[in-house]
Amino acid sequence: MDFTLPEELELLRQSARKFAEEEIAPHAQDWDREAYFPDPMIKKLGDQGFMGILIPEAYGGAACGYMAFAIILEELARHDGGLALAVEAHNGLCCQHILIGGNEEQKRKYLPPLAAGDRIGSWCLTEPNSGSDAIAMQTTAVRDGDGWILNGAKQFITNGHRAGTFVVMAVTDGAASPRGITAFVVERDTPGLSTGKREEKLGMRSSDTVVVTLDNVRVPDSQRLGAENQGFHDVKKVLEHGRVMICAISQGFARGALEEAAKYSLERTAFGKPIRSFQSIQNKIADIAVHVEAGRLMLYHAAHLLELGQCSVHKAAMTKLFITEMATRSCMEAIQILGGYGYLRDYNVERYMRDAKLCEIGEGTSEVMRILISRTLEEQGVY
Ligand SMILES: Cc1cc2nc3c(=O)[nH]c(=O)nc-3n(C[C@H](O)[C@H](O)[C@H](O)COP(=O)(O)OP(=O)(O)OC[C@H]3O[C@@H](n4cnc5c(N)ncnc54)[C@H](O)[C@@H]3O)c2cc1C
């Protein structure tokens, strides 16, 4: 067992860190206030290879794998969670689904522009009346000659405002098990597809989140991803991967909380001493540091298992539950260490806390993660 990161991943971390420090950090507070990051960032991310991290070279990607993806997401999220979420939803959900469910022709058609950052992708599962209970979705796709007609609405769709490619889940046979769901690729300019206003959010504000409406959207059968009525199997696979990758974003916040709190504790004085000299402050910082270290080990182990094709639902759920909740707690503690300044928008830690909260909800809530973990423990005879 070797816990050392290979040299190429260390180099990747250095270059992702440099990119994030130079291109993201100076703007992150403004993007949070304006609730948007500029469109040219997508191409810049593409030029770095960050928009095709998991995509094989044959389709224009960087084919770096899950460890590399985790490292990049942590570095991006260290400075801007919204941008990291946009990159995660694009790679980890949209592109990932095309990789899992798409045939050769579909991969050749859709993946190269996504990998280059010429367009960004969205993944549309959640609906106004179905989130955790995703198979209760009401969007339908009905056969129409050599194609399908899609009708319905998708809620909370990351990147939806500017996405060029949407992967959309719809019910094709309500009687099939588990409720016949099929995935389709829908391109932006397809008549009947429209997107709503950008939602006003607590955190992850630089990423756009919208309602996507499908009003008699016709797609040819060649845009069906995977087998008819079997889409939910692919959705579960996508989520299993996505749940680990969203942890990398949380890991970035936790590390940010640690670094910013430690720095502040050296600069701020109270009662004639840097607050770092108070044992209660040292304890808080030590606790955050331990949690960051534990989170990183869990994240890298889960990412390693993803690369081997051995990451279970249980493992992904445990990793997501621990890291996402740990990150929110760490950010709250960082705010406490900064005192009143921690509560101001001028400092980063309150933004990290607002961003971190989303990761306990998106791609499966903490409550759902606990259910999945308990279910496996029961199967294992633990209780
Ligand atoms: C900023 C943002 C971006 C998002 N991006 C995307 C995206 O790109 N694509 C996409 O498809 N979706 C996206 N989502 C949706 C997200 O995945 C859902 O919000 C999430 O799965 C929870 O679903 P819900 O909001 O409908 O909550 P609900 O499922 O209605 O849950 C409400 C509460 O009930 C609890 N609950 C539900 N069922 C159970 C149960 N069986 N036992 C115990 N407790 C339960 C939940 O844990 C939660 O606390 C995004 C959401 C946000 C906020």
Side-chain angles (χ1 to χ4, degrees):
M1 195 186 291
D2 182 1
F3 285 94
T4 323
L5 268 194
E7 196 188 347
E8 67 271 16
L9 289 179
E10 276 302 344
L11 291 173
L12 179 74
R13 183 200 299 287
Q14 283 167 26
S15 78
R17 187 166 294 183
K18 187 166 179 292
F19 177 82
E21 284 171 356
E22 289 174 2
E23 302 284 344
I24 299 172
H27 312 290
Q29 291 283 35
D30 289 341
W31 294 347
D32 176 67
R33 264 187 286 272
E34 291 157 13
Y36 212 49
F37 64 80
D39 290 347
M41 267 313 288
I42 299 170
K43 188 65 191 153
K44 278 191 189 178
L45 290 160
D47 292 344
Q48 294 293 313
F50 298 167
M51 298 299 276
I53 305 164
L54 303 172
I55 298 175
E57 287 170 5
Y59 312 118
C64 293
Y66 296 101
M67 284 292 281
F69 191 19
I71 285 167
I72 291 164
L73 286 175
E74 178 185 328
E75 295 305 326
L76 300 181
R78 166 68 184 84
H79 296 289
D80 185 359
L83 187 104
L85 182 69
V87 171
E88 196 269 333
H90 166 90
N91 282 285
L93 300 176
C94 176
C95 297
Q96 179 79 12
H97 200 136
I98 297 172
L99 281 168
I100 289 175
N103 58 34
E104 186 58 25
E105 195 184 326
Q106 289 167 332
K107 289 178 193 170
R108 289 206 178 278
K109 180 171 177 188
Y110 298 114
L111 292 175
L114 290 165
D118 292 336
R119 50 171 57 190
I120 194 164
S122 274
W123 191 71
C124 309
L125 178 70
T126 307
E127 299 193 355
N129 295 313
S130 63
S132 307
D133 185 12
I135 53 170
M137 72 175 63
Q138 290 163 0
T139 296
T140 55
V142 176
R143 268 273 185 201
D144 177 51
D146 62 352
W148 298 83
I149 307 270
L150 276 69
N151 277 293
K154 296 289 176 179
Q155 181 81 20
F156 302 124
I157 303 307
T158 302
N159 298 333
H161 179 70
R162 46 190 160 190
T165 304
F166 298 80
V167 171
V168 178
M169 270 51 74
V171 177
T172 39
D173 179 359
S177 171
R179 204 153 172 266
I181 286 165
T182 306
F184 298 89
V185 176
V186 183
E187 294 190 86
R188 174 101 222 170
D189 51 7
T190 313
L193 182 140
S194 60
T195 53
K197 66 169 180 55
R198 286 185 268 146
E199 304 285 8
E200 273 291 337
K201 307 194 293 288
L202 173 74
M204 298 293 199
R205 288 173 53 80
S206 71
S207 74
D208 61 88
T209 312
V210 301
V211 170
V212 174
T213 305
L214 303 137
D215 181 12
N216 285 319
V217 169
R218 190 177 194 287
V219 293
D221 192 51
S222 60
Q223 288 178 216
R224 172 171 50 81
L225 278 181
E228 222 174 298
N229 302 328
Q230 299 302 311
F232 205 65
H233 297 295
D234 290 347
V235 165
K236 286 200 280 191
K237 271 190 235 160
V238 170
L239 282 175
E240 196 178 299
H241 293 71
R243 281 171 185 162
V244 176
M245 290 303 115
I246 204 169
C247 296
I249 299 180
S250 294
Q251 193 65 32
F253 304 140
R255 196 185 99 220
L258 173 65
E259 290 173 358
E260 305 248 349
K263 179 167 169 279
Y264 185 86
S265 74
L266 295 171
E267 293 162 356
R268 178 71 174 173
T269 55
F271 302 95
K273 302 177 198 168
I275 60 167
R276 185 221 175 281
S277 63
F278 302 130
Q279 200 168 35
S280 56
I281 297 289
Q282 291 170 13
N283 288 348
K284 284 185 196 302
I285 292 176
D287 284 349
I288 301 175
V290 171
H291 289 139
V292 168
E293 180 70 13
R296 183 167 298 122
L297 286 173
M298 281 188 91
L299 172 63
Y300 286 0
H301 186 219
H304 176 64
L305 291 175
L306 281 181
E307 289 195 347
L308 298 176
Q310 292 172 7
C311 187
S312 61
V313 171
H314 181 68
K315 178 75 185 173
M318 285 177 97
T319 308
K320 183 176 191 291
L321 180 64
F322 177 78
I323 298 180
T324 60
E325 294 197 345
M326 172 280 285
T328 309
R329 272 198 317 275
S330 300
C331 294
M332 291 293 281
E333 280 297 71
I335 293 174
Q336 195 67 18
I337 293 165
L338 268 73
Y341 290 106
Y343 203 68
L344 298 189
R345 293 242 159 154
D346 299 346
Y347 288 78
N348 288 321
V349 288
E350 64 81 35
R351 175 164 58 86
Y352 299 161
M353 183 272 290
R354 288 186 282 111
D355 290 353
K357 186 64 195 165
L358 181 269
C359 299
E360 295 178 38
I361 297 169
E363 300 184 35
T365 63
S366 285
E367 290 76 15
V368 170
M369 295 307 105
R370 287 187 169 89
I371 292 169
L372 295 173
I373 294 163
S374 302
R375 198 176 285 162
T376 311
L377 294 178
E378 210 177 325
E379 283 163 14
Q380 290 170 345
V382 176
Y383 65 84

